[in-house]
PDB file of all heavy atoms in Angstrom:
ATOM      1  N   ALA X  30     207.432 -18.341 122.683  1.00 94.00           N
ATOM      2  CA  ALA X  30     207.949 -17.067 123.199  1.00 94.00           C
ATOM      3  C   ALA X  30     208.168 -17.144 124.704  1.00 94.00           C
ATOM      4  O   ALA X  30     209.199 -16.689 125.217  1.00 94.00           O
ATOM      5  CB  ALA X  30     206.987 -15.926 122.860  1.00 94.00           C
ATOM      6  N   ILE X  31     207.230 -17.747 125.411  1.00 95.00           N
ATOM      7  CA  ILE X  31     207.375 -17.877 126.863  1.00 95.00           C
ATOM      8  C   ILE X  31     208.561 -18.763 127.209  1.00 95.00           C
ATOM      9  O   ILE X  31     209.363 -18.425 128.080  1.00 95.00           O
ATOM     10  CB  ILE X  31     206.063 -18.406 127.487  1.00 95.00           C
ATOM     11  CG1 ILE X  31     204.992 -17.316 127.427  1.00 95.00           C
ATOM     12  CG2 ILE X  31     206.280 -18.881 128.920  1.00 95.00           C
ATOM     13  CD1 ILE X  31     203.596 -17.777 127.818  1.00 95.00           C
ATOM     14  N   GLU X  32     208.698 -19.899 126.541  1.00 94.00           N
ATOM     15  CA  GLU X  32     209.818 -20.806 126.813  1.00 94.00           C
ATOM     16  C   GLU X  32     211.163 -20.149 126.506  1.00 94.00           C
ATOM     17  O   GLU X  32     212.138 -20.356 127.223  1.00 94.00           O
ATOM     18  CB  GLU X  32     209.671 -22.086 126.001  1.00 94.00           C
ATOM     19  CG  GLU X  32     208.534 -22.971 126.470  1.00 94.00           C
ATOM     20  CD  GLU X  32     208.264 -24.136 125.538  1.00 94.00           C
ATOM     21  OE1 GLU X  32     209.092 -24.391 124.624  1.00 94.00           O
ATOM     22  OE2 GLU X  32     207.217 -24.772 125.704  1.00 94.00           O
ATOM     23  N   THR X  33     211.205 -19.360 125.431  1.00 92.00           N
ATOM     24  CA  THR X  33     212.463 -18.724 125.021  1.00 92.00           C
ATOM     25  C   THR X  33     212.831 -17.544 125.917  1.00 92.00           C
ATOM     26  O   THR X  33     213.983 -17.399 126.322  1.00 92.00           O
ATOM     27  CB  THR X  33     212.366 -18.246 123.560  1.00 92.00           C
ATOM     28  OG1 THR X  33     212.067 -19.367 122.740  1.00 92.00           O
ATOM     29  CG2 THR X  33     213.662 -17.602 123.099  1.00 92.00           C
ATOM     30  N   LEU X  34     211.856 -16.706 126.231  1.00 92.00           N
ATOM     31  CA  LEU X  34     212.139 -15.474 126.965  1.00 92.00           C
ATOM     32  C   LEU X  34     211.945 -15.582 128.469  1.00 92.00           C
ATOM     33  O   LEU X  34     212.536 -14.812 129.223  1.00 92.00           O
ATOM     34  CB  LEU X  34     211.261 -14.341 126.419  1.00 92.00           C
ATOM     35  CG  LEU X  34     211.481 -14.010 124.949  1.00 92.00           C
ATOM     36  CD1 LEU X  34     210.409 -13.035 124.459  1.00 92.00           C
ATOM     37  CD2 LEU X  34     212.876 -13.450 124.733  1.00 92.00           C
ATOM     38  N   LEU X  35     211.121 -16.518 128.900  1.00 93.00           N
ATOM     39  CA  LEU X  35     210.829 -16.680 130.329  1.00 93.00           C
ATOM     40  C   LEU X  35     211.176 -18.106 130.742  1.00 93.00           C
ATOM     41  O   LEU X  35     210.296 -18.933 130.948  1.00 93.00           O
ATOM     42  CB  LEU X  35     209.354 -16.411 130.620  1.00 93.00           C
ATOM     43  CG  LEU X  35     208.780 -15.084 130.150  1.00 93.00           C
ATOM     44  CD1 LEU X  35     207.293 -15.017 130.444  1.00 93.00           C
ATOM     45  CD2 LEU X  35     209.514 -13.925 130.801  1.00 93.00           C
ATOM     46  N   ALA X  36     212.442 -18.370 130.879  1.00 87.00           N
ATOM     47  CA  ALA X  36     212.892 -19.737 131.173  1.00 87.00           C
ATOM     48  C   ALA X  36     212.177 -20.340 132.376  1.00 87.00           C
ATOM     49  O   ALA X  36     211.958 -21.545 132.425  1.00 87.00           O
ATOM     50  CB  ALA X  36     214.399 -19.744 131.399  1.00 87.00           C
ATOM     51  N   SER X  37     211.778 -19.519 133.323  1.00 77.00           N
ATOM     52  CA  SER X  37     211.113 -20.028 134.526  1.00 77.00           C
ATOM     53  C   SER X  37     209.614 -20.197 134.332  1.00 77.00           C
ATOM     54  O   SER X  37     208.913 -20.625 135.242  1.00 77.00           O
ATOM     55  CB  SER X  37     211.386 -19.089 135.701  1.00 77.00           C
ATOM     56  OG  SER X  37     210.863 -17.808 135.425  1.00 77.00           O
ATOM     57  N   GLY X  38     209.101 -19.855 133.154  1.00 88.00           N
ATOM     58  CA  GLY X  38     207.672 -19.999 132.888  1.00 88.00           C
ATOM     59  C   GLY X  38     206.892 -18.730 133.180  1.00 88.00           C
ATOM     60  O   GLY X  38     207.458 -17.709 133.561  1.00 88.00           O
ATOM     61  N   ALA X  39     205.594 -18.822 132.980  1.00 95.00           N
ATOM     62  CA  ALA X  39     204.723 -17.660 133.159  1.00 95.00           C
ATOM     63  C   ALA X  39     203.497 -18.060 133.972  1.00 95.00           C
ATOM     64  O   ALA X  39     203.021 -19.193 133.878  1.00 95.00           O
ATOM     65  CB  ALA X  39     204.287 -17.116 131.802  1.00 95.00           C
ATOM     66  N   SER X  40     202.998 -17.122 134.729  1.00 96.00           N
ATOM     67  CA  SER X  40     201.795 -17.369 135.522  1.00 96.00           C
ATOM     68  C   SER X  40     200.586 -17.480 134.599  1.00 96.00           C
ATOM     69  O   SER X  40     200.628 -17.084 133.429  1.00 96.00           O
ATOM     70  CB  SER X  40     201.574 -16.229 136.517  1.00 96.00           C
ATOM     71  OG  SER X  40     201.238 -15.039 135.810  1.00 96.00           O
ATOM     72  N   ASP X  41     199.493 -17.998 135.136  1.00 96.00           N
ATOM     73  CA  ASP X  41     198.256 -18.088 134.358  1.00 96.00           C
ATOM     74  C   ASP X  41     197.794 -16.700 133.926  1.00 96.00           C
ATOM     75  O   ASP X  41     197.327 -16.522 132.801  1.00 96.00           O
ATOM     76  CB  ASP X  41     197.156 -18.778 135.162  1.00 96.00           C
ATOM     77  CG  ASP X  41     197.410 -20.270 135.334  1.00 96.00           C
ATOM     78  OD1 ASP X  41     198.177 -20.845 134.540  1.00 96.00           O
ATOM     79  OD2 ASP X  41     196.833 -20.860 136.263  1.00 96.00           O
ATOM     80  N   ALA X  42     197.943 -15.710 134.814  1.00 97.00           N
ATOM     81  CA  ALA X  42     197.522 -14.341 134.485  1.00 97.00           C
ATOM     82  C   ALA X  42     198.341 -13.793 133.316  1.00 97.00           C
ATOM     83  O   ALA X  42     197.793 -13.176 132.395  1.00 97.00           O
ATOM     84  CB  ALA X  42     197.659 -13.432 135.701  1.00 97.00           C
ATOM     85  N   THR X  43     199.644 -14.034 133.331  1.00 97.00           N
ATOM     86  CA  THR X  43     200.506 -13.572 132.239  1.00 97.00           C
ATOM     87  C   THR X  43     200.134 -14.275 130.942  1.00 97.00           C
ATOM     88  O   THR X  43     200.041 -13.647 129.882  1.00 97.00           O
ATOM     89  CB  THR X  43     201.993 -13.806 132.579  1.00 97.00           C
ATOM     90  OG1 THR X  43     202.338 -12.984 133.701  1.00 97.00           O
ATOM     91  CG2 THR X  43     202.902 -13.474 131.412  1.00 97.00           C
ATOM     92  N   ARG X  44     199.895 -15.562 131.001  1.00 97.00           N
ATOM     93  CA  ARG X  44     199.498 -16.310 129.807  1.00 97.00           C
ATOM     94  C   ARG X  44     198.177 -15.782 129.237  1.00 97.00           C
ATOM     95  O   ARG X  44     198.012 -15.699 128.016  1.00 97.00           O
ATOM     96  CB  ARG X  44     199.377 -17.794 130.116  1.00 97.00           C
ATOM     97  CG  ARG X  44     200.718 -18.465 130.300  1.00 97.00           C
ATOM     98  CD  ARG X  44     200.558 -19.958 130.580  1.00 97.00           C
ATOM     99  NE  ARG X  44     201.854 -20.589 130.721  1.00 97.00           N
ATOM    100  CZ  ARG X  44     202.594 -21.020 129.710  1.00 97.00           C
ATOM    101  NH1 ARG X  44     202.154 -20.889 128.478  1.00 97.00           N
ATOM    102  NH2 ARG X  44     203.766 -21.569 129.920  1.00 97.00           N
ATOM    103  N   GLN X  45     197.254 -15.402 130.105  1.00 97.00           N
ATOM    104  CA  GLN X  45     195.980 -14.850 129.633  1.00 97.00           C
ATOM    105  C   GLN X  45     196.189 -13.530 128.914  1.00 97.00           C
ATOM    106  O   GLN X  45     195.582 -13.274 127.872  1.00 97.00           O
ATOM    107  CB  GLN X  45     195.010 -14.671 130.798  1.00 97.00           C
ATOM    108  CG  GLN X  45     194.441 -15.971 131.304  1.00 97.00           C
ATOM    109  CD  GLN X  45     193.499 -15.768 132.482  1.00 97.00           C
ATOM    110  OE1 GLN X  45     193.375 -14.675 133.020  1.00 97.00           O
ATOM    111  NE2 GLN X  45     192.837 -16.843 132.877  1.00 97.00           N
ATOM    112  N   VAL X  46     197.037 -12.683 129.464  1.00 97.00           N
ATOM    113  CA  VAL X  46     197.307 -11.388 128.838  1.00 97.00           C
ATOM    114  C   VAL X  46     197.986 -11.585 127.486  1.00 97.00           C
ATOM    115  O   VAL X  46     197.572 -10.998 126.482  1.00 97.00           O
ATOM    116  CB  VAL X  46     198.172 -10.489 129.761  1.00 97.00           C
ATOM    117  CG1 VAL X  46     198.665  -9.260 129.018  1.00 97.00           C
ATOM    118  CG2 VAL X  46     197.366 -10.084 130.990  1.00 97.00           C
ATOM    119  N   ILE X  47     199.018 -12.419 127.436  1.00 97.00           N
ATOM    120  CA  ILE X  47     199.713 -12.664 126.169  1.00 97.00           C
ATOM    121  C   ILE X  47     198.765 -13.301 125.167  1.00 97.00           C
ATOM    122  O   ILE X  47     198.834 -13.018 123.968  1.00 97.00           O
ATOM    123  CB  ILE X  47     200.969 -13.531 126.395  1.00 97.00           C
ATOM    124  CG1 ILE X  47     201.958 -12.795 127.302  1.00 97.00           C
ATOM    125  CG2 ILE X  47     201.639 -13.884 125.069  1.00 97.00           C
ATOM    126  CD1 ILE X  47     203.119 -13.659 127.785  1.00 97.00           C
ATOM    127  N   GLY X  48     197.851 -14.115 125.639  1.00 97.00           N
ATOM    128  CA  GLY X  48     196.877 -14.768 124.771  1.00 97.00           C
ATOM    129  C   GLY X  48     195.937 -13.806 124.072  1.00 97.00           C
ATOM    130  O   GLY X  48     195.292 -14.156 123.082  1.00 97.00           O
ATOM    131  N   LYS X  49     195.849 -12.576 124.543  1.00 97.00           N
ATOM    132  CA  LYS X  49     194.999 -11.554 123.918  1.00 97.00           C
ATOM    133  C   LYS X  49     195.699 -10.816 122.781  1.00 97.00           C
ATOM    134  O   LYS X  49     195.103  -9.982 122.116  1.00 97.00           O
ATOM    135  CB  LYS X  49     194.533 -10.541 124.965  1.00 97.00           C
ATOM    136  CG  LYS X  49     193.611 -11.152 126.006  1.00 97.00           C
ATOM    137  CD  LYS X  49     193.207 -10.141 127.044  1.00 97.00           C
ATOM    138  CE  LYS X  49     192.337 -10.793 128.118  1.00 97.00           C
ATOM    139  NZ  LYS X  49     191.967  -9.838 129.165  1.00 97.00           N
ATOM    140  N   ALA X  50     196.969 -11.128 122.553  1.00 97.00           N
ATOM    141  CA  ALA X  50     197.741 -10.458 121.493  1.00 97.00           C
ATOM    142  C   ALA X  50     197.097 -10.705 120.137  1.00 97.00           C
ATOM    143  O   ALA X  50     196.622 -11.801 119.856  1.00 97.00           O
ATOM    144  CB  ALA X  50     199.176 -10.952 121.496  1.00 97.00           C
ATOM    145  N   THR X  51     197.106  -9.670 119.313  1.00 97.00           N
ATOM    146  CA  THR X  51     196.532  -9.783 117.970  1.00 97.00           C
ATOM    147  C   THR X  51     197.587  -9.783 116.870  1.00 97.00           C
ATOM    148  O   THR X  51     197.254  -9.964 115.705  1.00 97.00           O
ATOM    149  CB  THR X  51     195.520  -8.651 117.708  1.00 97.00           C
ATOM    150  OG1 THR X  51     196.187  -7.391 117.852  1.00 97.00           O
ATOM    151  CG2 THR X  51     194.348  -8.729 118.681  1.00 97.00           C
ATOM    152  N   THR X  52     198.842  -9.567 117.239  1.00 97.00           N
ATOM    153  CA  THR X  52     199.944  -9.592 116.271  1.00 97.00           C
ATOM    154  C   THR X  52     201.142 -10.302 116.909  1.00 97.00           C
ATOM    155  O   THR X  52     201.263 -10.339 118.140  1.00 97.00           O
ATOM    156  CB  THR X  52     200.394  -8.177 115.853  1.00 97.00           C
ATOM    157  OG1 THR X  52     200.960  -7.524 117.001  1.00 97.00           O
ATOM    158  CG2 THR X  52     199.239  -7.363 115.281  1.00 97.00           C
ATOM    159  N   PRO X  53     202.046 -10.839 116.093  1.00 96.00           N
ATOM    160  CA  PRO X  53     203.275 -11.429 116.646  1.00 96.00           C
ATOM    161  C   PRO X  53     204.084 -10.411 117.466  1.00 96.00           C
ATOM    162  O   PRO X  53     204.674 -10.765 118.488  1.00 96.00           O
ATOM    163  CB  PRO X  53     204.049 -11.884 115.410  1.00 96.00           C
ATOM    164  CG  PRO X  53     202.997 -12.137 114.386  1.00 96.00           C
ATOM    165  CD  PRO X  53     201.950 -11.070 114.645  1.00 96.00           C
ATOM    166  N   GLN X  54     204.084  -9.165 117.025  1.00 95.00           N
ATOM    167  CA  GLN X  54     204.809  -8.120 117.758  1.00 95.00           C
ATOM    168  C   GLN X  54     204.245  -7.963 119.166  1.00 95.00           C
ATOM    169  O   GLN X  54     205.001  -7.777 120.127  1.00 95.00           O
ATOM    170  CB  GLN X  54     204.736  -6.783 117.002  1.00 95.00           C
ATOM    171  CG  GLN X  54     205.496  -6.769 115.706  1.00 95.00           C
ATOM    172  CD  GLN X  54     204.725  -7.358 114.529  1.00 95.00           C
ATOM    173  OE1 GLN X  54     203.610  -7.858 114.664  1.00 95.00           O
ATOM    174  NE2 GLN X  54     205.332  -7.313 113.348  1.00 95.00           N
ATOM    175  N   GLN X  55     202.935  -8.037 119.299  1.00 96.00           N
ATOM    176  CA  GLN X  55     202.319  -7.934 120.625  1.00 96.00           C
ATOM    177  C   GLN X  55     202.670  -9.139 121.487  1.00 96.00           C
ATOM    178  O   GLN X  55     202.867  -8.989 122.694  1.00 96.00           O
ATOM    179  CB  GLN X  55     200.805  -7.797 120.515  1.00 96.00           C
ATOM    180  CG  GLN X  55     200.348  -6.438 120.072  1.00 96.00           C
ATOM    181  CD  GLN X  55     198.827  -6.337 120.004  1.00 96.00           C
ATOM    182  OE1 GLN X  55     198.120  -7.336 120.027  1.00 96.00           O
ATOM    183  NE2 GLN X  55     198.334  -5.120 119.916  1.00 96.00           N
TER     184      GLN X  55
END
Side-chain angles (χ1 to χ4, degrees):
I31 289 171
E32 290 172 11
T33 302
L34 299 171
L35 306 177
S37 62
S40 68
D41 289 339
T43 295
R44 287 181 179 276
Q45 286 179 352
V46 170
I47 298 170
K49 294 178 183 178
T51 59
T52 66
Q54 292 83 356
Q55 285 181 345

